[in-house]
């Protein structure tokens, strides 16, 4: 008896269809799995056999050969337990071949026949829909993340027996009610514990954060310990525009493939905020390893990647960020595979001005000039060029901290940011970009039109400070964002001057 059951597997965060071919013949009893199967799949022989027996079915004492097609692609994970068991028990299933051929099965079996949650279910369901599959049988615990995909029938099953009984029409699964209940649990995508109203003083820095969020401009904060750099960085995502459904799916695909979705939140409804420690390895930061897993920069996609104490990171590791920050994607190449991950992030860095942290502050600096230079030079020129905004963060005096502060909350700031983003979306509707930081050099003058006073101011700045080409383009992009926040069609002198003020810290510390 030959049966073919559809299943799925992952390469990075993308899925591909796997045909599970089950051949049962008379002969010396054996149970072999071929087709470049990983260790987890090889071990499924014992899981499947025990699950079938403990579910009350008879396991065929025959020669069983399982082929996972295409045979030239490596398969890993425990996704194939359920389709293998369905293939072996096909003679007990009343559904015809047409029904099974338009169905896809995913699930890991426990020894008692229950079906366990697996990672990567969202990209697999999306892939099944793209391949015209009509229905997908998935573990019941995975229903949250898959329920947000329309146009395909999702059937959650909790055990092998329940799956067989459903296929035979003996039971009905009220999947619509399950999905409806789960969707209600994930309503709303805003509700952070942090808020900008908690940040007293440093209005210049908060203005920089607003511009950074509005145009998705990378920002570097420099200041002494305890001045509020980390506090501000953690609140930047609270003023980013509400995450859209397509962005939710992009982010959730990454977290699903990594097995990082929580049981009560199947789909990511908030923008990510990742803050890796400065001792993080290259693999942890950008991804890699034997399975080419995504790193922190990928996990920050559509959110914020915060590098606290950025000067303490290994310089060689920081240099690996240059290309993905610019390209918005990262390519991880290994001997047998080449995987591209999205990494459209808002990069926020924070650092002390010197090893002791108090250079140019109200406290005495104990560092020698050579030590300060060595510390500052840990950030290379090309890496600094990836930042659009440089801002100095000052310590707030005690009397100002205890004073009643009229700081605007995150909701008010986010409203202004969203209005600026709407302007950008209309401007770039015929282009493949969404925010000002993505403007190509060839389109810079088309999108960043200057008033006559703005042009004069820009020429003065270029003549005095000898800006590099990249610094010039970043100055114009930040000016464009400031103009958008003021709902101004063209860039004028005040926009240019404010944008250049956010480079003052660069000339203070790095020139």
């Amino acid at each position: 008896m030959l049966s073919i059951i559809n299943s799925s597997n992952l390469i990075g965060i993308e899925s591909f269809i796997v045909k599970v071919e089950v051949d049962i013949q008379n002969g010396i009893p054996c149970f072999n799995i071929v087709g470049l199967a990983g260790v987890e799949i090889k071990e499924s022989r014992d899981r499947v056999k025990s699950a079938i027996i403990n579910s009350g079915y008879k396991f065929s004492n025959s020669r069983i050969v399982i082929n996972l097609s295409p045979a030239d692609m490596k398969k890993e994970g425990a996704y194939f337990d359920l389709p293998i068991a369905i293939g072996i028990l096909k003679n007990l299933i009343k559904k015809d071949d047409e029904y099974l051929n338009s169905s896809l099965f995913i699930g890991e079996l426990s020894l008692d026949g229950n079906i366990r949650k697996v990672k990567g279910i969202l990209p697999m369901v999306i892939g099944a829909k793209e391949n015209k599959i009509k229905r997908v049988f998935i573990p019941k615990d995975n229903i949250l993340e898959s329920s947000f995909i329309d146009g395909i029938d999702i059937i959650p099953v909790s055990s092998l027996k329940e799956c067989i009984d459903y296929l035979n029409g003996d039971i009905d699964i009220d999947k619509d009610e399950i999905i409806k209940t789960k969707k209600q649990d994930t309503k709303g995508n805003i509700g952070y514990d942090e808020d900008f109203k908690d940040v007293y003083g440093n209005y210049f820095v908060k203005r920089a954060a607003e511009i950074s969020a509005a145009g998705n401009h990378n920002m570097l904060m420099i200041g002494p310990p305890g001045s509020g750099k980390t506090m501000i960085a953690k609140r930047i995502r609270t003023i980013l525009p509400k995450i859209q459904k397509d962005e939710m799916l992009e982010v959730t695909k990454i977290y699903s493939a990594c097995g990082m979705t929580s049981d009560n939140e199947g789909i990511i409804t908030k923008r990510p905020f990742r803050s890796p420690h400065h001792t993080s390895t290259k693999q942890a930061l950008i991804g890699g390893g034997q399975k080419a897993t995504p790193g922190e920069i990928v996990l920050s996609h559509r959110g914020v990647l915060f590098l606290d104490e950025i000067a303490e990171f290994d310089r060689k590791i920081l240099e690996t960020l240059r290309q993905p920050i610019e390209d918005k994607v990262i390519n991880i190449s290994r001997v047998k595979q080449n995987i591209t991950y999205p990494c459209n992030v808002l990069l926020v860095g924070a650092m002390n001005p010197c090893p002791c942290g108090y250079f140019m502050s109200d406290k005495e600096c104990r560092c020698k000039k050579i030590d300060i230079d060595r510390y500052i030079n840990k950030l290379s020129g090309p890496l600094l060029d990836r930042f659009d905004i440089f801002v100095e963060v000052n310590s707030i005096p005690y009397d100002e901290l205890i004073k009643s502060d009229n700081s605007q909350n995150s909701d008010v700031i986010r409203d202004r940011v969203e209005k600026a983003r709407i302007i950008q979306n209309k401007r770039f509707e015929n282009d493949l970009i969404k925010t000002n930081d993505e403007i190509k050099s060839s389109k810079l003058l088309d999108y960043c039109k200057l008033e006559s006073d703005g042009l004069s101011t820009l020429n003065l700045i270029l003549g005095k400070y000898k800006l590099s080409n990249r610094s010039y383009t970043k100055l114009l992009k930040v000016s464009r964002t400031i103009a958008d926040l003021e709902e101004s069609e063209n860039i004028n002198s005040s926009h240019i001057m404010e944008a250049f003020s956010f480079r003052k810290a660069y000339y203070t510390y790095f020139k």
Side-chain angles (χ1 to χ4, degrees):
M1 180 189 76
L2 176 66
S3 57
I4 300 176
I5 307 296
N6 293 318
S7 191
S8 184
N9 206 210
L10 291 176
I11 298 180
I13 59 172
E14 301 298 331
S15 65
F16 62 96
I17 300 296
V18 176
K19 300 286 186 181
V20 180
E21 302 172 350
V22 181
D23 184 38
I24 303 176
Q25 301 289 345
N26 294 327
I28 300 174
C30 67
F31 192 166
N32 293 327
I33 300 177
V34 297
L36 274 184
V39 176
E40 305 95 330
I41 302 172
K42 294 287 187 182
E43 292 175 346
S44 69
R45 292 175 297 189
D46 297 320
R47 290 195 300 272
V48 169
K49 182 176 181 179
S50 296
I52 289 175
I53 294 172
N54 291 327
S55 297
Y57 303 109
K58 182 179 179 182
F59 187 81
S60 178
N61 193 25
S62 307
R63 183 177 181 273
I64 302 174
V65 177
I66 312 292
N67 179 46
L68 305 178
S69 176
D72 62 341
M73 297 182 71
K74 182 74 173 178
K75 294 93 180 173
E76 294 176 329
Y79 310 106
F80 304 111
D81 290 4
L82 179 60
I84 288 173
I86 295 296
I88 292 173
L89 299 175
K90 186 185 175 185
N91 60 336
L92 301 178
I93 298 173
K94 297 177 184 178
K95 294 291 185 183
D96 56 20
D97 289 343
E98 182 180 352
Y99 182 92
L100 292 177
N101 289 339
S102 60
S103 304
L104 187 141
F105 297 82
I106 305 166
E108 175 188 346
L109 290 173
S110 59
L111 298 184
D112 59 0
N114 288 325
I115 301 176
R116 292 176 174 167
K117 182 179 180 180
V118 296
K119 63 182 182 180
I121 203 73
L122 181 64
M124 290 182 180
V125 172
I126 293 174
K129 179 183 176 181
E130 292 171 349
N131 283 276
K132 311 299 182 185
I133 298 292
K134 293 182 179 179
R135 66 195 68 83
V136 181
F137 289 78
I138 65 168
K140 190 175 182 179
D141 291 339
N142 283 115
I143 186 63
L144 259 179
E145 56 190 283
S146 58
S147 63
F148 285 82
I149 307 301
D150 301 320
I152 187 169
D153 196 9
I154 306 295
I155 303 171
V157 288
S158 57
S159 67
L160 175 61
K161 189 175 190 310
E162 184 180 34
C163 185
I164 298 292
D165 290 343
Y166 178 84
L167 289 170
N168 289 333
D170 298 332
I171 64 169
D172 187 33
I173 297 175
D174 193 1
K175 51 187 177 296
D176 293 332
E177 184 61 30
I178 295 173
I179 292 172
K180 181 181 177 182
T181 303
K182 296 296 184 181
K183 277 192 174 182
Q184 290 174 347
D185 294 339
T186 57
K187 278 187 177 179
N189 57 10
I190 292 293
Y192 299 104
D193 296 330
E194 305 88 1
D195 197 292
F196 257 98
K197 69 181 180 181
D198 303 326
V199 182
Y200 293 168
N202 271 319
Y203 302 106
F204 185 70
V205 185
K206 287 188 281 189
R207 172 65 173 171
E210 179 180 341
I211 295 168
S212 173
N216 206 52
H217 300 292
N218 299 328
M219 182 173 75
L220 178 62
M221 294 180 286
I222 308 163
S227 56
K229 301 185 296 296
T230 302
M231 187 178 187
I232 292 170
K234 287 182 177 179
R235 283 156 177 76
I236 289 179
R237 72 165 177 167
T238 69
I239 62 173
L240 287 171
K242 294 179 181 179
I243 188 168
Q244 302 301 309
K245 185 176 180 180
D246 60 334
E247 295 175 326
M248 288 185 195
L249 293 178
E250 287 178 21
V251 175
T252 307
K253 278 179 68 175
I254 296 169
Y255 279 74
S256 176
C258 297
M260 296 175 66
T261 53
S262 62
D263 292 335
N264 58 357
E265 185 184 38
I267 194 164
I268 307 298
T269 59
K270 296 179 182 179
R271 293 190 181 274
F273 177 86
R274 305 291 298 183
S275 180
H277 193 261
H278 62 261
T279 58
S280 297
T281 62
K282 174 183 171 183
Q283 180 178 327
L285 201 58
I286 67 166
Q290 186 177 2
K291 297 183 179 181
T293 53
E296 293 290 342
I297 192 170
V298 179
L299 295 173
S300 309
H301 180 59
R302 298 297 181 187
V304 177
L305 175 62
F306 176 46
L307 300 183
D308 199 5
E309 303 295 347
I310 188 172
E312 299 295 341
F313 280 80
D314 185 281
R315 177 165 176 160
K316 290 182 180 179
I317 294 175
L318 286 178
E319 294 303 302
T320 61
L321 293 174
R322 285 159 45 181
Q323 185 176 349
I325 289 170
E326 196 78 13
D327 297 341
K328 311 295 185 185
V329 294
I330 184 166
N331 215 358
I332 299 178
S333 300
R334 292 296 177 264
V335 175
K336 295 183 179 179
Q337 56 187 347
N338 190 338
I339 300 175
T340 299
Y341 292 110
C343 58
N344 191 344
V345 305
L346 174 59
L347 178 65
V348 179
M351 64 179 290
N352 296 329
C354 66
C356 80
Y358 296 108
F359 178 61
M360 295 185 71
S361 72
D362 54 358
K363 292 187 179 181
E364 183 182 356
C365 176
R366 304 187 302 271
C367 303
K368 297 178 181 178
K369 186 178 184 309
I370 189 172
D371 295 327
I372 296 174
D373 292 341
R374 186 183 297 115
Y375 186 80
I376 290 294
N377 288 333
K378 286 184 178 181
L379 273 63
S380 68
L383 180 64
L384 289 171
D385 269 350
R386 266 60 182 182
F387 290 98
D388 302 2
I389 295 174
F390 298 84
V391 62
E392 191 172 6
V393 187
N394 299 312
S395 297
I396 305 301
Y398 176 72
D399 58 346
E400 191 170 337
L401 283 175
I402 62 175
K403 197 186 291 185
S404 177
D405 194 276
N406 295 321
S407 294
Q408 294 177 332
N409 62 32
S410 293
D411 291 340
V412 173
I413 301 173
R414 187 174 61 248
D415 286 342
R416 293 198 296 266
V417 169
E418 288 182 334
K419 287 179 181 178
R421 287 288 184 100
I422 291 171
I423 292 172
Q424 293 170 56
N425 289 336
K426 289 180 180 178
R427 180 187 301 125
F428 304 132
E429 61 184 356
N430 296 323
D431 214 331
L432 297 177
I433 59 177
K434 289 186 176 182
T435 53
N436 288 333
D437 76 304
E438 300 178 68
I439 298 175
K440 301 290 189 296
S441 298
S442 58
K443 298 285 186 74
L444 195 64
L445 296 180
D446 295 333
Y447 291 134
C448 302
K449 294 182 179 178
L450 297 164
E451 301 283 359
S452 57
D453 62 335
L455 183 59
S456 300
T457 303
L458 182 61
N459 288 333
L460 286 173
I461 292 172
L462 292 177
K464 182 176 180 180
Y465 291 94
K466 309 297 182 185
L467 300 184
S468 67
N469 290 339
R470 180 171 281 159
S471 297
Y472 160 72
T473 59
K474 289 187 179 296
L475 177 64
L476 271 185
K477 291 176 184 179
V478 174
S479 302
R480 178 69 269 174
T481 300
I482 295 171
D484 290 340
L485 284 167
E486 295 183 2
E487 300 183 27
S488 174
E489 184 177 351
N490 294 329
I491 299 170
N492 60 38
S493 177
S494 64
H495 304 146
I496 295 286
M497 290 302 295
E498 185 176 6
F500 188 70
S501 71
F502 293 115
R503 298 195 70 83
K504 179 183 175 183
Y506 173 77
Y507 290 102
T508 301
Y509 293 99
F510 300 104
K511 283 291 186 180

